[in-house]
Amino acid sequence: SNARLGAKIAVNGLTRWMIRNGHWQQDGMGSSKVLAEHTLCLAGLYWQFLRGGVATFLYSFLWGSWGVRRTAMLLLGLPLLLESWIQASIAANRAGLMDA
């Protein structure tokens, strides 16, 4: 799930930072990492499913989520479209398709 993956990424990043800065020794931190991952995963699942309420979760799971307003769609969609154009132009440039 997203909560499990997010917890794993967060714990791995934090432990790398702590080891690099000398706050933690690399030996013997396996059980602490597992405990932190499970705690963050449970917190993520709580916020995803239970915090919004069981009725909200069931409604969005069975009938899909609520629609987005057109204004929000435009505000969110334009930067994503621009990013896609930039990525496509970089890929075309690297492939040699934009050489003059």
Side-chain angles (χ1 to χ4, degrees):
S1 75
N2 289 338
R4 178 80 173 127
L5 183 62
K8 187 173 189 72
I9 290 170
V11 169
N12 284 340
L14 180 65
T15 54
R16 279 194 308 265
W17 180 82
M18 291 179 80
I19 290 170
R20 184 175 49 235
N21 291 322
H23 298 295
W24 202 343
Q25 299 297 324
Q26 194 165 1
D27 300 333
M29 63 181 193
S31 60
S32 299
K33 281 180 69 172
V34 170
L35 179 65
E37 282 181 21
H38 287 307
T39 304
L40 285 175
C41 180
L42 287 174
L45 290 173
Y46 169 77
W47 280 100
Q48 277 182 323
F49 300 120
L50 299 178
R51 183 70 174 155
V54 176
T56 305
F57 165 69
L58 287 176
Y59 182 84
S60 63
F61 183 75
L62 295 175
W63 289 281
S65 61
W66 291 280
V68 178
R69 293 185 182 144
R70 294 197 189 277
T71 308
M73 199 180 305
L74 190 64
L75 289 174
L76 295 173
L78 286 177
L80 292 174
L81 181 64
L82 180 63
E83 181 186 6
S84 297
W85 283 344
I86 291 171
Q87 288 178 352
S89 65
I90 290 172
N93 192 18
R94 287 182 181 168
L97 300 175
M98 297 184 70
D99 292 337

